[in-house]
Amino acid sequence: MPSQLGMFDRFDDAVPAPAGLDRLTEPVARAVDGWSGPVPADRILYVDTDPAIADTADFVAHYGQELLAQSANCVVVAAKRAGETSFAACLVPSYGRVDVNGAVRRRLGARKASFAPMETAVAATGMEYGGITPIGLPADWPLLVDPAVTEMPYVLVGSGRRRGKLLVPGAAFAQLPSAEVLPGLTLTS
């Protein structure tokens, strides 16, 4: 594992994501397999974790509270305008929450924005609820990324499944298709 991971040494089973494609959902595996850009794909790591503790609060209680500052959550948002619904994903540090009714609604030009229903998010992404990740999202969706995420050396995010997480250099999120770094995306109070 890269030395920058330090605290992530606690994971017993960590492999470069390209070597663990069989552990990922199909859209995530396809995105990792076709990866290109300034951050090499082999710097994305897959770590095996217990699916029973996939939710952020349970995960950091088990693996260490300090991981909260090195983790990000990817949420799917439904935006409505003129009777049409469109989707976007938002990636924010786990210690905050997405400003859906402010920054997201304004950026998407929507009359109304809200978290997409679980069934909709799962069906549209091909990923499991509690494991949705920005890697492998539908190509036509905007991906709004908080700048704090891109500044983290490594970020712990979902792997597409509840079992396992990805450790991704923060800068890689800005290179994803349809990614836009959006200041003000995260509310922290």
Side-chain angles (χ1 to χ4, degrees):
M1 255 187 291
S3 62
Q4 297 132 304
L5 296 181
M7 72 179 70
F8 297 115
D9 290 340
R10 70 191 77 203
F11 299 110
D12 294 329
D13 183 8
V15 298
L21 296 178
D22 59 325
R23 300 178 182 195
L24 305 171
T25 59
E26 193 273 327
V28 179
R30 189 174 55 244
V32 169
D33 194 42
W35 189 266
S36 64
V39 176
D42 64 358
R43 292 201 45 216
I44 301 168
L45 302 178
Y46 171 86
V47 295
D48 190 44
T49 59
D50 182 350
I53 57 170
D55 295 326
T56 302
D58 297 330
F59 190 84
V60 298
H62 180 81
Y63 285 104
Q65 190 65 33
E66 66 276 9
L67 292 180
L68 189 62
Q70 308 252 314
S71 302
N73 291 326
C74 183
V75 297
V76 177
V77 174
K80 296 180 181 179
R81 180 179 180 165
E84 296 291 321
T85 301
S86 60
F87 296 96
C90 301
L91 186 64
V92 299
S94 294
Y95 56 76
R97 62 189 196 284
V98 177
D99 183 7
V100 175
N101 292 310
V104 174
R105 185 184 57 74
R106 283 190 302 274
R107 169 57 191 87
L108 299 177
R111 179 185 52 76
K112 180 180 179 187
S114 60
F115 295 110
M118 177 180 64
E119 299 81 15
T120 302
V122 168
T125 62
M127 301 178 202
E128 294 177 6
Y129 191 75
I132 293 176
T133 185
I135 297 173
L137 290 169
D140 60 340
W141 285 14
L143 170 61
L144 307 178
V145 182
D146 188 280
V149 173
T150 65
E151 295 167 5
M152 294 180 193
Y154 272 83
V155 184
L156 190 67
V157 295
S159 68
R161 291 198 162 105
R162 288 185 65 82
R163 165 166 236 111
K165 299 283 185 186
L166 295 177
L167 294 171
V168 183
F173 294 113
Q175 79 182 48
L176 290 173
S178 305
E180 177 184 339
V181 178
L182 184 63
L185 185 60
T186 303
L187 299 172
T188 56
S189 57

